[in-house]
Each structure stands twice: as structure tokens, then as C-alpha cells.
Amino acid sequence: MQRITMIVAMKQEAAPIIKHLNLSEVKMQDPVLTCQAFQGNYKGLDISLVVNGTDREYNVESVGTQPATITTLEAIRQFTPDLLINAGTCGAFKDKGSAIGDVYMGERIRYFDRRIPLGENYFAYGDGSYESVLAQNYATRLGLKGAVVCTGNSLDMSPTDEAILREEPLVAKEMEAAAIAAVAKMYKTPLLAIKSVTDLVDDECTTAEQFLANLARASELLQQNVFKLLDVLSKDAKSAV
Ligand code: ADE
């Protein structure tokens, strides 16, 4: 049976997936960590979903690269997946043709705010570019556009961030995927990133306002596309037997 682990940052993004897959909460092995895991079965796939959990000091969802790294490491150790899926929401550029609710598959994943101008190697390490060969195949089969998933630790966007983000043809700006990709690569586990747009970063309305207004709708659309992806993965797993 194929084991799939989904890494989702916020409980609001995960809720429609947990509900539709009818996943049950299971204990994470390390009680110090805030991440929470859910497990179940879908069309012959063994599914686990791990969220970063609520920060105990600030009582908010743990977003960003640090919790993403810890969650991914712990999830890989506990569930030993054949495939990781990072499902979440993102910002995108209206003037690159994106709209609220668009869903993208990450063909490449990189940081946009890890700038280390200390020579070629540090520069490349900072950029942290991860190609996803699998993504192109699944994007085509699901009829989704491929985007460059650009990770940073800020929801808003500085002019320097914007210049870097604009280097890419189609952008999914978010806060976890590159950290997840780094751990996935260490453990030689393939990763698919699927992202739905909550906000247009070049709109007159603030990112925060758009994000809060569109989070539930974008999470629902994310869930629908995650299901399409699982259907295809299930078919592939069955035909491989
Ligand atoms: N998640 C959803 N929208 C985002 C944005 N604009 N920047 C970073 N992460 C996001």
C-alpha cells in the first residue's frame, strides 16, 4: 500500500481535507512538539496528515519555515511515507494572470527571502531551489497550472522580495514549502506541493484582509484538488501492483 503524508501548516487549511477523508487524530510520538497528526485510508492509500499545531505562547497557528521543518522531520520519522504532499494556501500576482481560488502545482520550489550574498555557493544555498519532476506529470493530469512555489517567512512583501518574486513566471508565494522540500530531499522522499490562492499580492486590498476573507473558500478548493490528486495516485498505485 502506498503511504502518503500530507503536511499542512494551518488547521483552517487542513479542516476540509480531514473532514472529507474522515481522518482520525493519532498521537505524535514527541509530546513536546505542537504538531498534530490524523490518519485514515482512501481508495487503498494509507494517508496521514500532519499540521504544525498551535503555538503555545501566542495561541496562533505555527506558520513559517521553522515549524514546517520540525513537522516534516517528525512526520517522516513517524509515518515513513512513500510520498509527501504539502497542501496549503498562497499569494499570487494578479498581473501574472492569477486569481483568487486558482490552484497550482509546484514545479519548482525556492526561497524568496533567504539572501546570502557571500559567493556563489552561499547564494545558491540561500535560494534553495528544488525541482519537482513528479509535479509536471500530475499538474498535466489534473489540468492544473505549474507554478514556482516561493517560500519566505513574511506574509507581506518588501520591495526586495517583490523583485525576486517577479523573476518567476507564475508565483505561489507561501511560507513552508522550501523548508519541507529540504527535509524531503534529505530523506529521499518525493514531494508534491499543491497551493490555492487566497490573496493577490499586487492588489490594492491588503494581503492580510484578502487572506482572512478568502481562507475558507481557498481551503475548500484546495481540498477538492487534493482529492483529485489522491484519486490519480490511487489509480497509479493499483496499476503498479
Ligand atoms: N499564504 C497565503 N497567502 C500568502 C502570502 N501572500 N504570503 C505568504 N504566505 C501566504
Side-chain angles (χ1 to χ4, degrees):
M1 184 189 298
Q2 198 182 18
R3 283 194 302 277
I4 296 175
T5 298
M6 289 187 241
I7 308 285
V8 185
M10 300 176 76
K11 66 177 178 224
Q12 294 91 332
E13 294 165 323
I17 303 174
I18 294 171
K19 186 170 165 211
H20 278 83
L21 280 173
N22 203 18
L23 304 179
S24 314
E25 186 160 5
V26 290
K27 245 185 147 157
M28 288 298 286
Q29 275 153 11
D30 186 346
V32 170
L33 304 180
T34 58
C35 43
Q36 283 179 284
F38 302 84
Q39 238 181 338
N41 215 281
Y42 179 73
K43 296 192 177 173
L45 303 172
D46 175 347
I47 309 275
S48 50
L49 182 153
V50 187
V51 292
N52 293 337
T54 307
D55 183 279
R56 295 195 184 98
E57 192 171 347
Y58 298 101
N59 197 31
V60 295
E61 293 306 282
S62 309
V63 295
T65 56
Q66 184 205 346
T69 304
I70 296 173
T71 298
T72 307
L73 179 61
E74 198 63 11
I76 289 177
R77 285 181 175 161
Q78 186 159 336
F79 299 110
T80 58
D82 303 307
L83 172 71
L84 284 164
I85 298 175
N86 171 219
T89 58
C90 66
F93 285 91
K94 182 166 66 172
D95 69 9
K96 285 179 183 278
S98 297
I100 303 290
D102 281 357
V103 177
Y104 298 132
M105 190 72 87
E107 288 187 344
R108 190 156 55 81
I109 299 172
R110 63 167 289 194
Y111 285 100
F112 66 84
D113 70 347
R114 220 169 58 155
R115 295 179 289 275
I116 316 173
L118 285 175
E120 209 180 300
N121 286 359
Y122 271 111
F123 188 86
Y125 165 78
D127 256 16
S129 194
Y130 303 91
E131 294 287 340
S132 177
V133 183
L134 277 185
Q136 281 148 23
N137 175 347
Y138 287 106
T140 309
R141 290 166 72 191
L142 295 177
L144 294 178
K145 281 189 183 160
V148 180
V149 176
C150 298
T151 304
N153 273 296
S154 297
L155 186 74
D156 68 1
M157 184 174 68
S158 73
T160 312
D161 295 339
E162 179 169 1
I164 293 169
L165 287 161
R166 283 194 178 282
E167 289 167 3
E168 303 299 353
L170 194 59
V171 170
K173 174 179 177 283
E174 54 79 80
M175 300 175 72
E176 286 87 19
I180 295 167
V183 184
K185 191 174 180 183
M186 276 179 202
Y187 283 83
K188 298 186 172 50
T189 308
L191 168 69
L192 287 171
I194 180 165
K195 301 279 159 176
S196 69
V197 177
T198 48
D199 54 273
L200 299 167
V201 295
D202 52 347
D203 194 88
E204 11 344 299
C205 228
T206 69
T207 292
E209 276 174 301
Q210 296 178 67
F211 177 76
L212 294 172
N214 298 321
L215 180 58
R217 173 85 189 119
S219 300
E220 195 55 41
L221 290 164
L222 179 67
Q223 176 267 120
Q224 289 169 16
N225 283 279
V226 165
F227 263 77
K228 284 193 206 162
L229 174 60
L230 292 179
D231 284 339
V232 172
L233 289 167
S234 161
K235 234 191 215 165
D236 286 356
K238 281 179 184 151
S239 63
V241 176

